[in-house]
């Protein structure tokens, strides 16, 4: 049985004080859950103080990105050891906004994934097709290329430490959620690919999240699909009541 993971990607939102306040509200409204994992991904400056707010909650902390070198003359970048020391257990890698606006490629996703693993961080590797690619019938080919690219060179044990997130680009921040059937088709394909790249046992335990306009009113049907193991939530993760309802999904 895969433990569901509900992850809030706060993107470029919230000051440090606002981030702390949001965590306090989440703790109030979600409480303790040991049947599902709750994760938040604030901005870099807020990580260490959010980590303090999370103490005793059992919730997980992720950064939204990292650079693959450990230290050095890379102005503006933040490394794996730094986010691990700030209290992160996970890191989001290859989000479509980074692919779209910041030149992320399969090669950089792969380097970042390897760096995260080296530093004991759980990579949450994001993949997803654009609307043009979906309409051209290329969805599964695009996803396969992104998963193969991101996981390049990893062994089964390392793949077993990953979380994958399927986030169709056309569904992110648009209010257009994939239907449960559309999402399930891709999730099942990703699991099949993980079985090929690693083995059946690794594929069976690998958590695959859906992301893209997940809201309180659609999370239950999405989570009813057999291969959807959680959600990566943007907009709705900034409202404590909405995220609390998403965490409390019923399938
Ligand atoms: P959204 O973002 O929930 O606002 O669509 C999801 C994501 O980008 O992770």
């Amino acid at each position: 049985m895969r433990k569901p993971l509900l992850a809030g990607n706060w993107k470029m939102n919230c000051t440090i004080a606002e981030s702390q306040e949001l965590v306090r509200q989440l703790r109030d409204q979600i409480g303790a859950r040991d049947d599902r994992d709750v994760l938040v991904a604030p901005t870099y400056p807020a990580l260490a103080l959010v980590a303090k707010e999370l103490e005793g909650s059992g919730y997980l902390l992720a950064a939204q990105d990292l650079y693959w070198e450990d230290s050095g003359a890379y102005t503006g970048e933040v490394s794996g050891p730094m986010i691990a020391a700030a209290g992160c257990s996970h890191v989001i890698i290859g989000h479509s906004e980074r692919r779209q606006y910041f030149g992320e490629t399969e090669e950089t996703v792969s380097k970042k994934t390897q760096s995260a693993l080296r530093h004991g961080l759980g990579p949450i590797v994001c993949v997803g097709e654009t609307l043009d690619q979906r309409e051209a019938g290329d969805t599964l080919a695009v996803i396969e290329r992104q998963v193969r690219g991101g996981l390049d060179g990893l062994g089964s044990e390392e793949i077993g430490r990953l979380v994958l997130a399927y986030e169709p680009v056309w569904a992110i921040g648009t209010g257009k959620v994939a239907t449960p059937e559309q999402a399930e088709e891709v999730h099942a394909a990703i699991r099949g690919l993980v079985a090929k790249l690693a083995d059946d046992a690794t594929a069976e335990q690998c958590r695959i999240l859906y992301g893209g306009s997940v809201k309180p009113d659609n999370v239950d049907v999405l989570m009813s699909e057999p291969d959807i193991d959680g959600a990566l939530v943007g907009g709705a993760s900034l409202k404590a009541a909405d995220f609390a309802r998403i965490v409390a999904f019923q399938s």
Side-chain angles (χ1 to χ4, degrees), residues 19-248:
S19 302
Q20 290 172 301
E21 178 53 30
L22 182 51
V23 171
R24 284 179 209 129
Q25 291 176 12
L26 289 174
R27 291 190 67 163
D28 269 0
Q29 298 189 33
I30 296 170
R33 301 274 336 200
D34 45 23
D35 58 335
R36 44 197 77 180
D37 283 328
V38 178
L39 175 149
V40 293
T43 59
Y44 289 134
L47 286 175
L49 285 160
V50 164
K52 265 196 172 317
E53 289 296 333
L54 290 177
E55 275 171 18
S57 68
Y59 304 173
L60 304 167
L61 182 67
Q64 297 175 16
D65 190 24
L66 83 171
Y67 190 61
W68 56 82
E69 295 290 347
D70 293 357
S71 63
Y74 303 100
T75 301
E77 295 298 319
V78 175
S79 72
M82 293 170 188
I83 60 175
C88 292
S89 56
H90 289 77
V91 56
I92 298 171
I93 298 175
H95 190 279
S96 71
E97 285 149 17
R98 299 221 56 90
R99 294 180 193 258
Q100 200 177 340
Y101 305 132
F102 303 102
E104 196 84 81
T105 63
E106 266 104 68
E107 195 190 341
T108 61
V109 170
S110 160
K111 286 179 168 177
K112 290 177 177 187
T113 301
Q114 293 185 23
S115 171
L117 289 168
R118 235 182 7 258
H119 296 293
L121 293 158
I124 302 172
V125 178
C126 304
V127 298
E129 82 288 3
T130 63
L131 188 57
D132 284 353
Q133 290 166 333
R134 173 162 284 270
E135 285 175 348
D138 290 340
T139 299
L140 295 180
V142 169
I143 300 302
E144 173 157 358
R145 191 177 69 230
Q146 292 176 344
V147 172
R148 281 186 183 277
L151 276 52
D152 190 34
L154 301 183
S156 297
E157 186 276 329
E158 292 170 309
I159 294 176
R161 287 155 59 200
L162 301 181
V163 174
L164 292 166
Y166 168 55
E167 300 204 302
V169 177
W170 49 270
I172 295 178
T174 57
K176 267 192 238 158
V177 64
T179 65
E181 297 73 26
Q182 284 173 324
E184 172 60 22
E185 180 192 19
V186 177
H187 281 237
I190 293 174
R191 198 174 306 286
L193 188 52
V194 171
K196 271 197 230 158
L197 297 172
D199 50 61
D200 286 347
T202 304
E204 206 39 53
Q205 62 145 60
C206 179
R207 288 189 290 191
I208 307 174
L209 313 183
Y210 169 79
S213 298
V214 175
K215 307 284 180 216
D217 65 2
N218 60 31
V219 66
D220 295 348
V221 285
L222 287 163
M223 290 302 297
S224 303
E225 295 294 334
D227 288 295
I228 301 184
D229 307 314
L232 183 53
V233 186
S237 72
L238 296 168
K239 293 183 206 124
D242 284 4
F243 192 60
R245 171 61 184 86
I246 288 169
V247 171

